């Protein structure tokens, strides 16, 4: 929980991890009161980017399909060419990304959504962005601390649009 977060963060910073690379996720913003820690950004906490990219990809393929259909049928006597196809493709990709962004901003990040119950029970998730060398040190510190913390795993910062909470497994 956040009661021991300042001590844990100080231990991590002492190993060479920058303080700005450590962020916390909790259920409510008032949990941060009195702590010298960084709150996770909306991009870390919500599924905004992941869903926008995922739906943008769907929109891209819908745009290809729609362009092929319009090219083959030439409805209403239109002269459907490459410029029109590019416009349809850009329009459907952008619309898909926009819809995905709206969906994603209302859902937790797919990486932390599996810990929803712990967050509701007052726990916090600490996100640490670092290289592999410091990641191993961070794992040792978290496992050895008396702060009641547990190491959850590591993952890349790349938002894979093909992953979801059911498929994603953190490496130990």
């Amino acid at each position: 929980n956040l009661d021991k977060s300042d001590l844990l963060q100080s231990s991590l910073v002492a190993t060479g991890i920058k303080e700005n690379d450590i962020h916390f996720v909790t259920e409510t913003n008032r949990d941060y009161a009195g702590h010298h820690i960084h709150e996770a950004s909306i991009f870390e906490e919500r599924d905004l980017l992941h869903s926008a990219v995922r739906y943008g990809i769907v929109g891209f393929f819908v745009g290809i399909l729609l362009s092929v259909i319009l090219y083959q049928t030439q409805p209403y006597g239109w002269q459907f060419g490459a410029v029109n196809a590019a416009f349809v493709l850009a329009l459907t990709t952008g619309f898909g990304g926009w819809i995905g962004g709206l969906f994603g901003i209302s859902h937790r990040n797919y990486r932390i959504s599996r810990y929803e119950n712990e967050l509701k029970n007052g726990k916090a998730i600490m996100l640490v962005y670092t290289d592999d060398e410091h990641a191993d040190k961070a794992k040792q510190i978290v496992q050895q601390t008396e702060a009641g913390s547990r190491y959850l795993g590591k993952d890349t910062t790349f938002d894979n649009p093909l992953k979801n909470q059911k498929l994603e497994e953190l490496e130990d």
Side-chain angles (χ1 to χ4, degrees):
N1 61 27
L2 287 179
D3 294 333
K4 304 285 182 177
S5 62
D6 295 323
L7 175 64
L8 185 56
Q9 180 174 304
S10 297
S11 299
L12 292 173
V13 169
T15 67
I17 298 172
K18 296 178 184 170
E19 187 175 317
N20 290 335
D21 292 336
I22 302 172
H23 301 112
F24 287 84
V25 177
T26 64
E27 188 64 25
T28 61
N29 288 345
R30 67 179 175 265
D31 293 339
Y32 296 103
H35 298 283
H36 302 289
I37 57 175
H38 297 282
E39 182 179 353
S41 72
I42 193 168
F43 298 110
E44 294 168 319
E45 188 174 344
R46 296 288 163 195
D47 209 31
L48 181 68
L49 293 175
H50 177 254
S51 293
V53 170
R54 179 181 260 185
Y55 282 69
I57 290 170
V58 171
F60 178 79
F61 286 112
V62 167
I64 289 174
L65 180 64
L66 186 59
S67 293
V68 168
I69 290 171
L70 289 173
Y71 181 77
Q72 293 293 325
T73 61
Q74 299 285 332
Y76 308 110
W78 294 345
Q79 294 299 318
F80 193 81
V83 173
N84 302 98
F87 178 74
V88 167
L89 193 61
L91 188 66
T92 56
T93 302
F95 184 71
W98 178 68
I99 293 294
L102 289 176
F103 175 79
I105 204 162
S106 64
H107 291 82
R108 276 224 199 259
N109 188 307
Y110 71 102
R111 291 182 175 112
I112 60 176
S113 62
R114 69 171 66 190
Y115 305 108
E116 194 77 32
N117 289 335
E118 287 88 346
L119 290 170
K120 287 181 181 176
N121 290 329
K123 299 287 184 183
I125 295 177
M126 180 175 62
L127 307 172
V128 181
Y129 300 100
T130 188
D131 57 19
D132 286 336
E133 178 186 342
H134 287 99
D136 293 335
K137 291 177 185 177
K139 179 179 179 179
Q140 290 174 351
I141 290 171
V142 170
Q143 289 175 336
Q144 294 171 355
T145 186
E146 297 294 325
S149 302
R150 67 182 170 111
Y151 181 80
L152 298 176
K154 68 179 182 177
D155 199 2
T156 178
T157 57
F158 173 71
D159 278 318
N160 185 346
L162 303 178
K163 279 189 174 182
N164 65 29
Q165 64 191 22
K166 295 177 184 146
L167 296 176
E168 190 238 347
E169 290 295 327
L170 292 173
E171 299 173 14
D172 283 332

